[in-house]
Amino acid sequence: MATRLGTVAFFEIVRAKDSLNARMQETNWQIFLENLERTPAADRITTHRSDSFIGQAVRAEGRLHLLVGRIGTSELQTVDLDHGHIEDIRLEGNKGTIDTTTVSFLEYGNIIGILQGKPGSPRAAAIQRWLNSCQIANDEIALWPVIANNVWEKLEKAEAVHSFEFSYRPSPAIAPPEGEGLASFVRLGDSRYPDHRITLKLEVPKRGGPGPVARLRGQRRLQSDIQSLMSELGYLEGPTGVDRAQAQVTLPGEEGEVADEPLDFIKHHITAKCRVEVSAADGRPRYEASVAAIMQAAQDKRRDLKAAVGAGQ
């Protein structure tokens, strides 16, 4: 039996172009997957830059799930361990290699669990693009990290956003977030400083400097940029990705008072370490082991997940 360690990361499907009312009504995504089963292969392939992706609906544990794969272009080789011979893998017909990520849609809160097959498999933002290319919903969707402790709501309700500190290690093999603002700094860092650990801190001075109108404008722009960048967190996760993302904000209280509070996006992103066990003897497809790992993680984190998206309230 082969065992690999992985991390299940949870994301919420939201409206991409309505940050003030991003959360959607709970949707039965099984209908989308049922339609996907009948979709021709050519209509399930999308290309972004130099990468091509394909999705497929698969059945496991009594429900439909999703595989999204990056179609490989590199040549693979095998080694004969008895004789030490290295040989090329030659595929017959119109076949290629692929690195897949397993996606499971939970029954509540428009939440999905994502488990990569390997570091080069599609991440959340690639899956988001693929889902939009298939028109999963009437409106363009985004995948926001499911973050506990009401961090998203606190960012949206903040009366002021004073600072944001962000540290990460560029990964040249993974496309950085698109967009302006903070995302442009990430793109610059990936291309200019691929071997560095980059720390960026933006701060709106509380005293001195610009007047109150300029200060408010700066705070709102920073608030918007944080929201945009953190919604792309799936691009940057992993051992060479983000290790710090914190904001300092002012929040209103129930009695009309205000108080400063730190928001930690990495600490409160709901993820779970898991073991994926695959046995060649039982003949099961590999994705079934990944689905089982995702669903077990979802069960273990059920209370936190539902509280984070307001499901069942």
Side-chain angles (χ1 to χ4, degrees), residues 32-70:
F32 163 74
L33 295 172
E34 289 170 0
N35 292 333
L36 189 65
E37 281 189 302
R38 301 185 291 270
T39 302
D43 295 334
R44 292 187 278 114
I45 297 176
T46 184
T47 299
H48 179 72
R49 295 176 179 169
S50 59
D51 292 323
S52 293
F53 301 86
I54 185 170
Q56 178 185 350
V58 295
R59 292 186 178 272
E61 299 199 356
R63 290 174 59 82
L64 284 168
H65 304 265
L66 175 66
L67 297 181
V68 178
R70 175 183 284 106

PDB file of all heavy atoms in Angstrom, residues 32-70:
ATOM      1  N   PHE A  32     -24.553  20.444 -11.574  1.00  0.00           N
ATOM      2  CA  PHE A  32     -23.464  20.832 -12.471  1.00  0.00           C
ATOM      3  C   PHE A  32     -22.609  19.631 -12.830  1.00  0.00           C
ATOM      4  O   PHE A  32     -22.245  19.432 -14.000  1.00  0.00           O
ATOM      5  CB  PHE A  32     -22.610  21.910 -11.806  1.00  0.00           C
ATOM      6  CG  PHE A  32     -21.266  22.102 -12.446  1.00  0.00           C
ATOM      7  CD1 PHE A  32     -21.138  22.748 -13.667  1.00  0.00           C
ATOM      8  CD2 PHE A  32     -20.116  21.604 -11.827  1.00  0.00           C
ATOM      9  CE1 PHE A  32     -19.891  22.912 -14.266  1.00  0.00           C
ATOM     10  CE2 PHE A  32     -18.873  21.766 -12.425  1.00  0.00           C
ATOM     11  CZ  PHE A  32     -18.762  22.415 -13.646  1.00  0.00           C
ATOM     12  N   LEU A  33     -22.299  18.789 -11.844  1.00  0.00           N
ATOM     13  CA  LEU A  33     -21.456  17.630 -12.097  1.00  0.00           C
ATOM     14  C   LEU A  33     -22.167  16.598 -12.969  1.00  0.00           C
ATOM     15  O   LEU A  33     -21.534  15.940 -13.803  1.00  0.00           O
ATOM     16  CB  LEU A  33     -21.017  17.007 -10.770  1.00  0.00           C
ATOM     17  CG  LEU A  33     -20.102  17.890  -9.911  1.00  0.00           C
ATOM     18  CD1 LEU A  33     -19.891  17.273  -8.539  1.00  0.00           C
ATOM     19  CD2 LEU A  33     -18.771  18.125 -10.594  1.00  0.00           C
ATOM     20  N   GLU A  34     -23.465  16.465 -12.792  1.00  0.00           N
ATOM     21  CA  GLU A  34     -24.225  15.552 -13.655  1.00  0.00           C
ATOM     22  C   GLU A  34     -24.183  16.017 -15.107  1.00  0.00           C
ATOM     23  O   GLU A  34     -24.026  15.211 -16.027  1.00  0.00           O
ATOM     24  CB  GLU A  34     -25.669  15.450 -13.166  1.00  0.00           C
ATOM     25  CG  GLU A  34     -25.816  14.693 -11.848  1.00  0.00           C
ATOM     26  CD  GLU A  34     -27.211  14.814 -11.260  1.00  0.00           C
ATOM     27  OE1 GLU A  34     -28.068  15.509 -11.892  1.00  0.00           O
ATOM     28  OE2 GLU A  34     -27.454  14.254 -10.189  1.00  0.00           O
ATOM     29  N   ASN A  35     -24.316  17.313 -15.310  1.00  0.00           N
ATOM     30  CA  ASN A  35     -24.216  17.856 -16.676  1.00  0.00           C
ATOM     31  C   ASN A  35     -22.805  17.674 -17.222  1.00  0.00           C
ATOM     32  O   ASN A  35     -22.625  17.417 -18.424  1.00  0.00           O
ATOM     33  CB  ASN A  35     -24.602  19.331 -16.692  1.00  0.00           C
ATOM     34  CG  ASN A  35     -26.069  19.556 -16.391  1.00  0.00           C
ATOM     35  OD1 ASN A  35     -26.909  18.684 -16.654  1.00  0.00           O
ATOM     36  ND2 ASN A  35     -26.399  20.712 -15.841  1.00  0.00           N
ATOM     37  N   LEU A  36     -21.822  17.794 -16.341  1.00  0.00           N
ATOM     38  CA  LEU A  36     -20.432  17.655 -16.777  1.00  0.00           C
ATOM     39  C   LEU A  36     -20.159  16.237 -17.277  1.00  0.00           C
ATOM     40  O   LEU A  36     -19.348  16.042 -18.192  1.00  0.00           O
ATOM     41  CB  LEU A  36     -19.494  18.004 -15.625  1.00  0.00           C
ATOM     42  CG  LEU A  36     -18.004  18.110 -15.962  1.00  0.00           C
ATOM     43  CD1 LEU A  36     -17.754  19.274 -16.910  1.00  0.00           C
ATOM     44  CD2 LEU A  36     -17.184  18.287 -14.676  1.00  0.00           C
ATOM     45  N   GLU A  37     -20.831  15.252 -16.679  1.00  0.00           N
ATOM     46  CA  GLU A  37     -20.649  13.870 -17.127  1.00  0.00           C
ATOM     47  C   GLU A  37     -20.992  13.702 -18.604  1.00  0.00           C
ATOM     48  O   GLU A  37     -20.430  12.847 -19.290  1.00  0.00           O
ATOM     49  CB  GLU A  37     -21.533  12.927 -16.298  1.00  0.00           C
ATOM     50  CG  GLU A  37     -21.002  12.575 -14.934  1.00  0.00           C
ATOM     51  CD  GLU A  37     -21.842  11.482 -14.293  1.00  0.00           C
ATOM     52  OE1 GLU A  37     -23.072  11.690 -14.133  1.00  0.00           O
ATOM     53  OE2 GLU A  37     -21.286  10.441 -13.935  1.00  0.00           O
ATOM     54  N   ARG A  38     -21.930  14.513 -19.082  1.00  0.00           N
ATOM     55  CA  ARG A  38     -22.394  14.386 -20.468  1.00  0.00           C
ATOM     56  C   ARG A  38     -21.692  15.363 -21.414  1.00  0.00           C
ATOM     57  O   ARG A  38     -22.022  15.420 -22.595  1.00  0.00           O
ATOM     58  CB  ARG A  38     -23.910  14.609 -20.523  1.00  0.00           C
ATOM     59  CG  ARG A  38     -24.704  13.624 -19.656  1.00  0.00           C
ATOM     60  CD  ARG A  38     -26.198  13.811 -19.858  1.00  0.00           C
ATOM     61  NE  ARG A  38     -26.666  15.066 -19.309  1.00  0.00           N
ATOM     62  CZ  ARG A  38     -27.097  15.214 -18.055  1.00  0.00           C
ATOM     63  NH1 ARG A  38     -27.082  14.184 -17.221  1.00  0.00           N
ATOM     64  NH2 ARG A  38     -27.514  16.385 -17.623  1.00  0.00           N
ATOM     65  N   THR A  39     -20.762  16.149 -20.891  1.00  0.00           N
ATOM     66  CA  THR A  39     -20.090  17.162 -21.707  1.00  0.00           C
ATOM     67  C   THR A  39     -18.939  16.531 -22.494  1.00  0.00           C
ATOM     68  O   THR A  39     -18.112  15.813 -21.922  1.00  0.00           O
ATOM     69  CB  THR A  39     -19.541  18.281 -20.811  1.00  0.00           C
ATOM     70  OG1 THR A  39     -20.623  18.865 -20.067  1.00  0.00           O
ATOM     71  CG2 THR A  39     -18.871  19.363 -21.645  1.00  0.00           C
ATOM     72  N   PRO A  40     -18.853  16.780 -23.808  1.00  0.00           N
ATOM     73  CA  PRO A  40     -17.744  16.234 -24.608  1.00  0.00           C
ATOM     74  C   PRO A  40     -16.384  16.713 -24.087  1.00  0.00           C
ATOM     75  O   PRO A  40     -16.267  17.792 -23.501  1.00  0.00           O
ATOM     76  CB  PRO A  40     -18.017  16.772 -26.020  1.00  0.00           C
ATOM     77  CG  PRO A  40     -19.469  17.118 -26.024  1.00  0.00           C
ATOM     78  CD  PRO A  40     -19.808  17.546 -24.628  1.00  0.00           C
ATOM     79  N   ALA A  41     -15.376  15.899 -24.333  1.00  0.00           N
ATOM     80  CA  ALA A  41     -14.036  16.201 -23.825  1.00  0.00           C
ATOM     81  C   ALA A  41     -13.535  17.555 -24.306  1.00  0.00           C
ATOM     82  O   ALA A  41     -12.919  18.310 -23.541  1.00  0.00           O
ATOM     83  CB  ALA A  41     -13.064  15.101 -24.242  1.00  0.00           C
ATOM     84  N   ALA A  42     -13.776  17.890 -25.568  1.00  0.00           N
ATOM     85  CA  ALA A  42     -13.270  19.152 -26.123  1.00  0.00           C
ATOM     86  C   ALA A  42     -13.824  20.349 -25.376  1.00  0.00           C
ATOM     87  O   ALA A  42     -13.161  21.397 -25.287  1.00  0.00           O
ATOM     88  CB  ALA A  42     -13.613  19.246 -27.603  1.00  0.00           C
ATOM     89  N   ASP A  43     -15.034  20.228 -24.833  1.00  0.00           N
ATOM     90  CA  ASP A  43     -15.658  21.331 -24.108  1.00  0.00           C
ATOM     91  C   ASP A  43     -15.233  21.366 -22.643  1.00  0.00           C
ATOM     92  O   ASP A  43     -15.643  22.259 -21.902  1.00  0.00           O
ATOM     93  CB  ASP A  43     -17.181  21.226 -24.202  1.00  0.00           C
ATOM     94  CG  ASP A  43     -17.682  21.396 -25.626  1.00  0.00           C
ATOM     95  OD1 ASP A  43     -16.981  22.063 -26.411  1.00  0.00           O
ATOM     96  OD2 ASP A  43     -18.758  20.852 -25.952  1.00  0.00           O
ATOM     97  N   ARG A  44     -14.440  20.398 -22.223  1.00  0.00           N
ATOM     98  CA  ARG A  44     -13.954  20.367 -20.845  1.00  0.00           C
ATOM     99  C   ARG A  44     -12.490  20.760 -20.755  1.00  0.00           C
ATOM    100  O   ARG A  44     -11.872  20.634 -19.699  1.00  0.00           O
ATOM    101  CB  ARG A  44     -14.156  18.961 -20.259  1.00  0.00           C
ATOM    102  CG  ARG A  44     -15.611  18.595 -20.065  1.00  0.00           C
ATOM    103  CD  ARG A  44     -15.788  17.274 -19.333  1.00  0.00           C
ATOM    104  NE  ARG A  44     -15.667  16.116 -20.215  1.00  0.00           N
ATOM    105  CZ  ARG A  44     -14.694  15.210 -20.151  1.00  0.00           C
ATOM    106  NH1 ARG A  44     -13.722  15.350 -19.268  1.00  0.00           N
ATOM    107  NH2 ARG A  44     -14.671  14.187 -20.977  1.00  0.00           N
ATOM    108  N   ILE A  45     -11.929  21.226 -21.850  1.00  0.00           N
ATOM    109  CA  ILE A  45     -10.530  21.654 -21.878  1.00  0.00           C
ATOM    110  C   ILE A  45     -10.461  23.168 -21.987  1.00  0.00           C
ATOM    111  O   ILE A  45     -11.161  23.770 -22.809  1.00  0.00           O
ATOM    112  CB  ILE A  45      -9.771  21.010 -23.055  1.00  0.00           C
ATOM    113  CG1 ILE A  45      -9.742  19.482 -22.904  1.00  0.00           C
ATOM    114  CG2 ILE A  45      -8.347  21.548 -23.131  1.00  0.00           C
ATOM    115  CD1 ILE A  45      -9.093  18.775 -24.078  1.00  0.00           C
ATOM    116  N   THR A  46      -9.645  23.787 -21.168  1.00  0.00           N
ATOM    117  CA  THR A  46      -9.421  25.221 -21.241  1.00  0.00           C
ATOM    118  C   THR A  46      -7.924  25.484 -21.168  1.00  0.00           C
ATOM    119  O   THR A  46      -7.173  24.698 -20.575  1.00  0.00           O
ATOM    120  CB  THR A  46     -10.142  25.964 -20.099  1.00  0.00           C
ATOM    121  OG1 THR A  46      -9.975  27.372 -20.255  1.00  0.00           O
ATOM    122  CG2 THR A  46      -9.598  25.557 -18.742  1.00  0.00           C
ATOM    123  N   THR A  47      -7.486  26.566 -21.783  1.00  0.00           N
ATOM    124  CA  THR A  47      -6.057  26.899 -21.827  1.00  0.00           C
ATOM    125  C   THR A  47      -5.836  28.270 -21.206  1.00  0.00           C
ATOM    126  O   THR A  47      -6.583  29.213 -21.472  1.00  0.00           O
ATOM    127  CB  THR A  47      -5.537  26.890 -23.273  1.00  0.00           C
ATOM    128  OG1 THR A  47      -5.712  25.578 -23.827  1.00  0.00           O
ATOM    129  CG2 THR A  47      -4.060  27.243 -23.321  1.00  0.00           C
ATOM    130  N   HIS A  48      -4.834  28.351 -20.378  1.00  0.00           N
ATOM    131  CA  HIS A  48      -4.436  29.625 -19.761  1.00  0.00           C
ATOM    132  C   HIS A  48      -2.938  29.752 -19.907  1.00  0.00           C
ATOM    133  O   HIS A  48      -2.174  28.907 -19.430  1.00  0.00           O
ATOM    134  CB  HIS A  48      -4.838  29.656 -18.288  1.00  0.00           C
ATOM    135  CG  HIS A  48      -4.435  30.911 -17.583  1.00  0.00           C
ATOM    136  ND1 HIS A  48      -5.051  32.119 -17.818  1.00  0.00           N
ATOM    137  CD2 HIS A  48      -3.479  31.149 -16.653  1.00  0.00           C
ATOM    138  CE1 HIS A  48      -4.492  33.051 -17.060  1.00  0.00           C
ATOM    139  NE2 HIS A  48      -3.537  32.483 -16.343  1.00  0.00           N
ATOM    140  N   ARG A  49      -2.517  30.825 -20.600  1.00  0.00           N
ATOM    141  CA  ARG A  49      -1.108  30.991 -20.918  1.00  0.00           C
ATOM    142  C   ARG A  49      -0.638  29.737 -21.648  1.00  0.00           C
ATOM    143  O   ARG A  49      -1.162  29.359 -22.671  1.00  0.00           O
ATOM    144  CB  ARG A  49      -0.309  31.298 -19.658  1.00  0.00           C
ATOM    145  CG  ARG A  49      -0.700  32.647 -19.040  1.00  0.00           C
ATOM    146  CD  ARG A  49       0.020  32.923 -17.740  1.00  0.00           C
ATOM    147  NE  ARG A  49      -0.370  34.229 -17.207  1.00  0.00           N
ATOM    148  CZ  ARG A  49      -0.081  34.651 -16.005  1.00  0.00           C
ATOM    149  NH1 ARG A  49       0.637  33.888 -15.182  1.00  0.00           N
ATOM    150  NH2 ARG A  49      -0.475  35.840 -15.579  1.00  0.00           N
ATOM    151  N   SER A  50       0.365  29.052 -21.135  1.00  0.00           N
ATOM    152  CA  SER A  50       0.883  27.876 -21.834  1.00  0.00           C
ATOM    153  C   SER A  50       0.354  26.567 -21.265  1.00  0.00           C
ATOM    154  O   SER A  50       0.760  25.487 -21.713  1.00  0.00           O
ATOM    155  CB  SER A  50       2.422  27.864 -21.768  1.00  0.00           C
ATOM    156  OG  SER A  50       2.857  27.844 -20.412  1.00  0.00           O
ATOM    157  N   ASP A  51      -0.545  26.638 -20.300  1.00  0.00           N
ATOM    158  CA  ASP A  51      -1.060  25.431 -19.650  1.00  0.00           C
ATOM    159  C   ASP A  51      -2.473  25.114 -20.116  1.00  0.00           C
ATOM    160  O   ASP A  51      -3.305  26.022 -20.290  1.00  0.00           O
ATOM    161  CB  ASP A  51      -1.065  25.603 -18.132  1.00  0.00           C
ATOM    162  CG  ASP A  51       0.334  25.666 -17.545  1.00  0.00           C
ATOM    163  OD1 ASP A  51       1.207  24.940 -18.049  1.00  0.00           O
ATOM    164  OD2 ASP A  51       0.540  26.432 -16.589  1.00  0.00           O
ATOM    165  N   SER A  52      -2.752  23.828 -20.295  1.00  0.00           N
ATOM    166  CA  SER A  52      -4.091  23.361 -20.626  1.00  0.00           C
ATOM    167  C   SER A  52      -4.621  22.515 -19.473  1.00  0.00           C
ATOM    168  O   SER A  52      -3.868  21.731 -18.863  1.00  0.00           O
ATOM    169  CB  SER A  52      -4.079  22.538 -21.917  1.00  0.00           C
ATOM    170  OG  SER A  52      -3.749  23.347 -23.020  1.00  0.00           O
ATOM    171  N   PHE A  53      -5.911  22.685 -19.185  1.00  0.00           N
ATOM    172  CA  PHE A  53      -6.540  21.983 -18.073  1.00  0.00           C
ATOM    173  C   PHE A  53      -7.792  21.262 -18.572  1.00  0.00           C
ATOM    174  O   PHE A  53      -8.473  21.739 -19.472  1.00  0.00           O
ATOM    175  CB  PHE A  53      -6.933  22.966 -16.958  1.00  0.00           C
ATOM    176  CG  PHE A  53      -5.778  23.744 -16.389  1.00  0.00           C
ATOM    177  CD1 PHE A  53      -5.354  24.930 -16.990  1.00  0.00           C
ATOM    178  CD2 PHE A  53      -5.106  23.300 -15.269  1.00  0.00           C
ATOM    179  CE1 PHE A  53      -4.290  25.651 -16.486  1.00  0.00           C
ATOM    180  CE2 PHE A  53      -4.033  24.018 -14.750  1.00  0.00           C
ATOM    181  CZ  PHE A  53      -3.630  25.191 -15.362  1.00  0.00           C
ATOM    182  N   ILE A  54      -8.078  20.126 -17.951  1.00  0.00           N
ATOM    183  CA  ILE A  54      -9.288  19.387 -18.282  1.00  0.00           C
ATOM    184  C   ILE A  54      -9.929  18.920 -16.988  1.00  0.00           C
ATOM    185  O   ILE A  54      -9.237  18.616 -16.002  1.00  0.00           O
ATOM    186  CB  ILE A  54      -8.978  18.184 -19.203  1.00  0.00           C
ATOM    187  CG1 ILE A  54     -10.283  17.505 -19.642  1.00  0.00           C
ATOM    188  CG2 ILE A  54      -8.039  17.189 -18.536  1.00  0.00           C
ATOM    189  CD1 ILE A  54     -10.089  16.468 -20.739  1.00  0.00           C
ATOM    190  N   GLY A  55     -11.266  18.888 -16.971  1.00  0.00           N
ATOM    191  CA  GLY A  55     -11.990  18.427 -15.802  1.00  0.00           C
ATOM    192  C   GLY A  55     -12.848  17.227 -16.136  1.00  0.00           C
ATOM    193  O   GLY A  55     -13.265  17.037 -17.286  1.00  0.00           O
ATOM    194  N   GLN A  56     -13.125  16.421 -15.127  1.00  0.00           N
ATOM    195  CA  GLN A  56     -13.960  15.241 -15.302  1.00  0.00           C
ATOM    196  C   GLN A  56     -14.730  14.976 -14.023  1.00  0.00           C
ATOM    197  O   GLN A  56     -14.171  15.046 -12.919  1.00  0.00           O
ATOM    198  CB  GLN A  56     -13.109  14.016 -15.648  1.00  0.00           C
ATOM    199  CG  GLN A  56     -13.906  12.730 -15.787  1.00  0.00           C
ATOM    200  CD  GLN A  56     -13.020  11.517 -16.016  1.00  0.00           C
ATOM    201  OE1 GLN A  56     -11.819  11.647 -16.255  1.00  0.00           O
ATOM    202  NE2 GLN A  56     -13.600  10.330 -15.936  1.00  0.00           N
ATOM    203  N   ALA A  57     -16.022  14.687 -14.158  1.00  0.00           N
ATOM    204  CA  ALA A  57     -16.838  14.289 -13.014  1.00  0.00           C
ATOM    205  C   ALA A  57     -16.619  12.802 -12.756  1.00  0.00           C
ATOM    206  O   ALA A  57     -16.600  11.998 -13.686  1.00  0.00           O
ATOM    207  CB  ALA A  57     -18.311  14.571 -13.285  1.00  0.00           C
ATOM    208  N   VAL A  58     -16.423  12.444 -11.492  1.00  0.00           N
ATOM    209  CA  VAL A  58     -16.197  11.047 -11.115  1.00  0.00           C
ATOM    210  C   VAL A  58     -17.090  10.709  -9.931  1.00  0.00           C
ATOM    211  O   VAL A  58     -17.475  11.587  -9.149  1.00  0.00           O
ATOM    212  CB  VAL A  58     -14.713  10.786 -10.768  1.00  0.00           C
ATOM    213  CG1 VAL A  58     -13.835  10.987 -11.998  1.00  0.00           C
ATOM    214  CG2 VAL A  58     -14.248  11.686  -9.628  1.00  0.00           C
ATOM    215  N   ARG A  59     -17.398   9.434  -9.790  1.00  0.00           N
ATOM    216  CA  ARG A  59     -18.272   8.989  -8.708  1.00  0.00           C
ATOM    217  C   ARG A  59     -17.465   8.288  -7.626  1.00  0.00           C
ATOM    218  O   ARG A  59     -16.615   7.438  -7.914  1.00  0.00           O
ATOM    219  CB  ARG A  59     -19.362   8.052  -9.244  1.00  0.00           C
ATOM    220  CG  ARG A  59     -20.359   8.765 -10.147  1.00  0.00           C
ATOM    221  CD  ARG A  59     -21.515   7.858 -10.555  1.00  0.00           C
ATOM    222  NE  ARG A  59     -22.465   8.592 -11.381  1.00  0.00           N
ATOM    223  CZ  ARG A  59     -23.481   9.302 -10.918  1.00  0.00           C
ATOM    224  NH1 ARG A  59     -23.701   9.339  -9.606  1.00  0.00           N
ATOM    225  NH2 ARG A  59     -24.295   9.935 -11.726  1.00  0.00           N
ATOM    226  N   ALA A  60     -17.755   8.658  -6.383  1.00  0.00           N
ATOM    227  CA  ALA A  60     -17.112   8.031  -5.229  1.00  0.00           C
ATOM    228  C   ALA A  60     -17.964   8.310  -4.001  1.00  0.00           C
ATOM    229  O   ALA A  60     -18.515   9.412  -3.857  1.00  0.00           O
ATOM    230  CB  ALA A  60     -15.697   8.558  -5.034  1.00  0.00           C
ATOM    231  N   GLU A  61     -18.068   7.343  -3.134  1.00  0.00           N
ATOM    232  CA  GLU A  61     -18.817   7.473  -1.880  1.00  0.00           C
ATOM    233  C   GLU A  61     -20.241   7.959  -2.116  1.00  0.00           C
ATOM    234  O   GLU A  61     -20.781   8.764  -1.352  1.00  0.00           O
ATOM    235  CB  GLU A  61     -18.072   8.384  -0.900  1.00  0.00           C
ATOM    236  CG  GLU A  61     -16.700   7.864  -0.518  1.00  0.00           C
ATOM    237  CD  GLU A  61     -16.149   8.486   0.750  1.00  0.00           C
ATOM    238  OE1 GLU A  61     -16.806   9.393   1.300  1.00  0.00           O
ATOM    239  OE2 GLU A  61     -15.078   8.051   1.202  1.00  0.00           O
ATOM    240  N   GLY A  62     -20.855   7.496  -3.190  1.00  0.00           N
ATOM    241  CA  GLY A  62     -22.260   7.782  -3.449  1.00  0.00           C
ATOM    242  C   GLY A  62     -22.557   9.158  -3.994  1.00  0.00           C
ATOM    243  O   GLY A  62     -23.726   9.544  -4.106  1.00  0.00           O
ATOM    244  N   ARG A  63     -21.515   9.951  -4.342  1.00  0.00           N
ATOM    245  CA  ARG A  63     -21.711  11.289  -4.862  1.00  0.00           C
ATOM    246  C   ARG A  63     -20.755  11.540  -6.016  1.00  0.00           C
ATOM    247  O   ARG A  63     -19.781  10.804  -6.210  1.00  0.00           O
ATOM    248  CB  ARG A  63     -21.475  12.347  -3.768  1.00  0.00           C
ATOM    249  CG  ARG A  63     -22.530  12.379  -2.696  1.00  0.00           C
ATOM    250  CD  ARG A  63     -22.156  13.335  -1.569  1.00  0.00           C
ATOM    251  NE  ARG A  63     -21.963  14.695  -2.010  1.00  0.00           N
ATOM    252  CZ  ARG A  63     -22.950  15.569  -2.205  1.00  0.00           C
ATOM    253  NH1 ARG A  63     -24.202  15.200  -2.000  1.00  0.00           N
ATOM    254  NH2 ARG A  63     -22.691  16.801  -2.586  1.00  0.00           N
ATOM    255  N   LEU A  64     -21.045  12.591  -6.769  1.00  0.00           N
ATOM    256  CA  LEU A  64     -20.144  13.017  -7.826  1.00  0.00           C
ATOM    257  C   LEU A  64     -19.103  13.977  -7.265  1.00  0.00           C
ATOM    258  O   LEU A  64     -19.411  14.837  -6.426  1.00  0.00           O
ATOM    259  CB  LEU A  64     -20.923  13.689  -8.957  1.00  0.00           C
ATOM    260  CG  LEU A  64     -21.705  12.761  -9.888  1.00  0.00           C
ATOM    261  CD1 LEU A  64     -22.650  13.571 -10.770  1.00  0.00           C
ATOM    262  CD2 LEU A  64     -20.764  11.936 -10.752  1.00  0.00           C
ATOM    263  N   HIS A  65     -17.898  13.838  -7.749  1.00  0.00           N
ATOM    264  CA  HIS A  65     -16.799  14.707  -7.371  1.00  0.00           C
ATOM    265  C   HIS A  65     -16.122  15.177  -8.658  1.00  0.00           C
ATOM    266  O   HIS A  65     -16.556  14.832  -9.760  1.00  0.00           O
ATOM    267  CB  HIS A  65     -15.828  13.973  -6.452  1.00  0.00           C
ATOM    268  CG  HIS A  65     -16.486  13.407  -5.240  1.00  0.00           C
ATOM    269  ND1 HIS A  65     -16.527  14.050  -4.026  1.00  0.00           N
ATOM    270  CD2 HIS A  65     -17.160  12.238  -5.067  1.00  0.00           C
ATOM    271  CE1 HIS A  65     -17.186  13.314  -3.152  1.00  0.00           C
ATOM    272  NE2 HIS A  65     -17.582  12.211  -3.753  1.00  0.00           N
ATOM    273  N   LEU A  66     -15.068  15.955  -8.533  1.00  0.00           N
ATOM    274  CA  LEU A  66     -14.442  16.564  -9.702  1.00  0.00           C
ATOM    275  C   LEU A  66     -12.938  16.327  -9.685  1.00  0.00           C
ATOM    276  O   LEU A  66     -12.285  16.489  -8.648  1.00  0.00           O
ATOM    277  CB  LEU A  66     -14.732  18.070  -9.708  1.00  0.00           C
ATOM    278  CG  LEU A  66     -14.062  18.919 -10.789  1.00  0.00           C
ATOM    279  CD1 LEU A  66     -14.582  18.548 -12.170  1.00  0.00           C
ATOM    280  CD2 LEU A  66     -14.306  20.401 -10.522  1.00  0.00           C
ATOM    281  N   LEU A  67     -12.414  15.935 -10.828  1.00  0.00           N
ATOM    282  CA  LEU A  67     -10.971  15.921 -11.042  1.00  0.00           C
ATOM    283  C   LEU A  67     -10.633  17.027 -12.022  1.00  0.00           C
ATOM    284  O   LEU A  67     -11.253  17.132 -13.080  1.00  0.00           O
ATOM    285  CB  LEU A  67     -10.507  14.580 -11.626  1.00  0.00           C
ATOM    286  CG  LEU A  67     -10.699  13.322 -10.790  1.00  0.00           C
ATOM    287  CD1 LEU A  67     -10.159  12.115 -11.548  1.00  0.00           C
ATOM    288  CD2 LEU A  67     -10.014  13.445  -9.438  1.00  0.00           C
ATOM    289  N   VAL A  68      -9.668  17.862 -11.683  1.00  0.00           N
ATOM    290  CA  VAL A  68      -9.160  18.877 -12.600  1.00  0.00           C
ATOM    291  C   VAL A  68      -7.675  18.610 -12.775  1.00  0.00           C
ATOM    292  O   VAL A  68      -6.934  18.508 -11.791  1.00  0.00           O
ATOM    293  CB  VAL A  68      -9.395  20.307 -12.087  1.00  0.00           C
ATOM    294  CG1 VAL A  68      -8.798  21.325 -13.051  1.00  0.00           C
ATOM    295  CG2 VAL A  68     -10.887  20.570 -11.906  1.00  0.00           C
ATOM    296  N   GLY A  69      -7.244  18.469 -14.029  1.00  0.00           N
ATOM    297  CA  GLY A  69      -5.857  18.122 -14.270  1.00  0.00           C
ATOM    298  C   GLY A  69      -5.153  19.098 -15.191  1.00  0.00           C
ATOM    299  O   GLY A  69      -5.767  19.656 -16.109  1.00  0.00           O
ATOM    300  N   ARG A  70      -3.878  19.302 -14.941  1.00  0.00           N
ATOM    301  CA  ARG A  70      -3.019  20.053 -15.846  1.00  0.00           C
ATOM    302  C   ARG A  70      -2.407  19.059 -16.820  1.00  0.00           C
ATOM    303  O   ARG A  70      -1.731  18.114 -16.417  1.00  0.00           O
ATOM    304  CB  ARG A  70      -1.919  20.800 -15.083  1.00  0.00           C
ATOM    305  CG  ARG A  70      -0.928  21.507 -16.001  1.00  0.00           C
ATOM    306  CD  ARG A  70       0.205  22.180 -15.242  1.00  0.00           C
ATOM    307  NE  ARG A  70      -0.238  23.427 -14.615  1.00  0.00           N
ATOM    308  CZ  ARG A  70      -0.450  23.580 -13.325  1.00  0.00           C
ATOM    309  NH1 ARG A  70      -0.267  22.553 -12.505  1.00  0.00           N
ATOM    310  NH2 ARG A  70      -0.854  24.732 -12.832  1.00  0.00           N
TER     311      ARG A  70
END
